[in-house]
Amino acid sequence: MQLTVEEQEMLDGKYGKGTQIAMKIQVALGEVFDAPKMVPVSRTHVALSNQEADLWFVEKLVNAGAKCRVSPTVNPGFNLEYFQCITTISKEDEQTIRRTRQAYKDIGATLTFDCTPYLEKNVPRFGEITAFSESSATPFINSVYGARTNRESAQSALCAAITGRTPLYGFLLDENRKGQVLVDVQADVKNDFDYQLLGYAVPKKLQFKTPVFVNLPTTPSPAALMNLGAQLNTAGNVPMYHIVGVTPEARTIEDAFQGDEPERIITITQEDLDQVHAEITDPVGKIDFALFGCPHFNLNQVAQVAELVKGKKLEVKLWIMTSSLTKELATRMGYLETLQAAGGDIVDDTCMDQPCWEFLYGKKGVTDSPKCAYYTKRRNMQFVIRKVEDCIEAAMRGEVS
Ligand code: F3S
């Protein structure tokens, strides 16, 4: 790779051991992907996981003196103070989250603890070169804003934050952003939940390809686009999609394919969506809780749930996970009060794939998120997956039919 004088100095250790480690990793990545050079990044997001390996890596860099040049927003771990009030957190888990918070603070991250930073804190403009990890984030950056990012790992995104550079390859290059497969949507995709199913159904027919959707509405909500990207990337490693008429680089089908023909055409029918729904959901029956916010709910989604439970009583506990900013706005708007009066709550800074939910292991819940159900399998949590309105109805009855 051709490095600038400054990049070579980073690699040689002039800027300290921490920056040197980060640059070494990036040069190795660049060589693997045949990148000719590095390019500057203007934004970064690190999908911290608050797990052993993640902590080992960030602490190693902190101890080597690394500091971020481009402060990254970061994913949620869990809200220790909240969960200490409602359950028991082991000493070990408490220590891990405290160390995670400290390490990311020391390295110069922006402590958003949110998995949808592209909606409220880390919003790029068209064409910007960025380094985002997190499954719902990379497709949103590429497909909704027309900014550019590869499907970074938490570690490669952190290295980019430290050096302010990323190797030039993959989705940063025009030619790799073109659509590959035309996806003709014949299913009735009418609400945010249908985009979850669509995102899960498409990778059944294609993986590692960039889909171009036609026959979808051209005014999807931000939540719909977030859901589509989260599920496509979780189920099929798809960090970029085009929706003709929505994606900035896909004003027309010809734009999306950059004048080429699609490699294949696939059709998604209502039967495909129904089939995937039946496959990913656990059996109906009594439920113990309801959980939303994987990815983190935005304010409109919180408002929707608050409206649905207004003046009613929930039979089971309900939580919405969101960012601290959205929680603050929900408090100001009275949504939190409405939710709490019904028996629900909002928890910020928290991911569902964290040990703070141990008190729900072995229990069954209801959620609108296939990603939530997928990740919690290893934690022995069961989920019936339904659209939000049906989840609320179930939470009021304590049962899904
Ligand atoms: Fe966010 Fe955790 Fe789900 S980071 S998308 S709540 S797996």
Side-chain angles (χ1 to χ4, degrees):
M1 285 180 81
Q2 271 225 315
L3 300 181
T4 62
V5 172
E6 193 185 18
E7 289 159 2
Q8 187 63 50
E9 287 174 347
M10 287 189 217
L11 189 60
D12 294 342
K14 184 176 170 193
Y15 294 90
K17 186 83 188 145
T19 303
Q20 184 181 32
I21 295 170
M23 185 51 93
K24 259 189 190 169
I25 292 170
Q26 290 193 292
V27 169
L29 273 174
E31 283 170 356
V32 166
F33 288 104
D34 280 333
K37 60 177 187 171
M38 297 280 175
V39 283
V41 290
S42 50
R43 298 176 179 282
T44 56
H45 175 77
V46 175
L48 70 77
S49 65
N50 184 45
Q51 288 166 8
E52 208 181 316
D54 174 61
L55 188 52
W56 174 84
F57 187 71
V58 64
E59 283 186 340
K60 182 182 171 74
L61 290 167
V62 167
N63 292 336
K67 274 279 177 200
C68 293
R69 290 181 174 212
V70 181
S71 179
T73 46
V74 291
N75 257 28
F78 68 90
N79 184 331
L80 175 65
E81 293 72 13
Y82 178 90
F83 283 94
Q84 280 179 327
C85 291
I86 64 166
T87 186
T88 306
I89 301 293
S90 72
K91 275 278 154 243
E92 198 185 322
D93 290 337
E94 177 179 343
Q95 264 203 359
T96 307
I97 188 71
R98 285 194 190 283
R99 279 172 55 199
T100 296
R101 287 173 177 178
Q102 191 60 48
Y104 279 95
K105 187 175 173 196
D106 289 346
I107 209 160
T110 304
L111 304 181
T112 48
F113 299 131
D114 169 28
C115 51
T116 57
Y118 48 86
L119 293 179
E120 57 189 28
K121 175 66 188 77
N122 209 348
V123 182
R125 63 180 160 69
F126 179 78
E128 230 178 298
I129 305 284
T130 70
F132 271 63
S133 47
E134 176 50 35
S135 56
S136 79
T138 47
F140 210 96
I141 296 297
N142 282 317
S143 317
V144 179
Y145 293 125
R148 299 185 175 204
T149 181
N150 279 312
R151 189 179 192 269
E152 302 286 355
S153 65
Q155 290 68 40
S156 63
L158 184 58
C159 290
I162 292 166
T163 63
R165 309 287 203 280
T166 192
L168 181 63
Y169 74 96
F171 287 91
L172 307 187
L173 298 167
D174 287 348
E175 62 268 28
N176 297 328
R177 296 175 68 80
K178 83 171 168 192
Q180 292 167 303
V181 175
L182 184 76
V183 182
D184 180 7
V185 182
Q186 291 299 323
D188 186 17
V189 176
K190 56 194 173 310
N191 56 42
D192 296 346
F193 181 66
D194 292 330
Y195 284 84
Q196 306 261 34
L197 299 179
L198 180 64
Y200 229 90
V202 169
K204 298 256 172 215
K205 302 195 178 188
L206 68 95
Q207 290 229 330
F208 305 110
K209 296 282 180 189
T210 302
V212 177
F213 292 97
V214 290
N215 293 324
L216 273 181
T218 50
T219 52
S221 70
L225 296 168
M226 177 173 96
N227 291 344
L228 178 64
Q231 307 310 334
L232 278 172
N233 212 6
T234 304
N237 300 309
V238 176
M240 179 166 184
Y241 59 83
H242 296 267
I243 299 177
V244 174
V246 174
T247 301
E249 288 152 271
R251 281 170 307 162
T252 62
I253 296 184
E254 292 71 30
D255 276 358
F257 287 103
Q258 296 181 6
D260 283 349
E261 289 297 313
E263 290 171 18
R264 274 171 66 199
I265 298 176
I266 63 168
T267 303
I268 297 290
T269 62
Q270 190 59 43
E271 205 185 342
D272 290 322
L273 298 196
D274 294 344
Q275 200 176 326
V276 87
H277 191 184
E279 257 173 46
I280 59 180
T281 188
D282 279 312
V284 296
K286 293 253 178 248
I287 53 163
D288 304 295
F289 65 97
L291 188 56
F292 300 104
C294 175
H296 277 178
F297 261 20
N298 65 31
L299 190 63
N300 288 345
Q301 293 173 292
V302 176
Q304 184 195 4
V305 177
E307 188 57 37
L308 287 165
V309 302
K310 199 173 190 174
K312 300 179 182 149
K313 275 282 168 210
L314 294 159
E315 183 63 28
V316 297
K317 190 76 187 169
L318 175 156
W319 287 274
I320 298 175
M321 296 174 294
T322 190
S323 68
S324 51
L325 176 60
T326 299
K327 183 173 181 184
E328 173 60 29
L329 292 174
T331 307
R332 293 183 192 180
M333 306 288 286
Y335 303 147
L336 179 62
E337 203 182 341
T338 303
L339 282 158
Q340 287 178 336
D345 210 352
I346 299 177
V347 54
D348 56 354
D349 296 351
T350 299
C351 164
M352 72 343 98
D353 190 23
Q354 291 286 321
C356 58
W357 299 107
E358 193 175 342
F359 64 105
L360 298 178
Y361 293 179
K363 300 195 172 176
K364 183 184 277 191
V366 67
T367 185
D368 66 326
S369 166
K371 184 178 176 186
C372 177
Y374 174 80
Y375 276 114
T376 47
K377 283 274 171 279
R378 71 191 177 106
R379 296 186 186 272
N380 191 26
M381 289 163 84
Q382 286 200 341
F383 277 101
V384 182
I385 303 169
R386 292 287 185 270
K387 66 177 192 264
V388 171
E389 294 86 336
D390 295 348
C391 288
I392 301 300
E393 205 193 304
M396 285 195 287
R397 288 193 295 117
E399 187 169 8
V400 193
S401 49

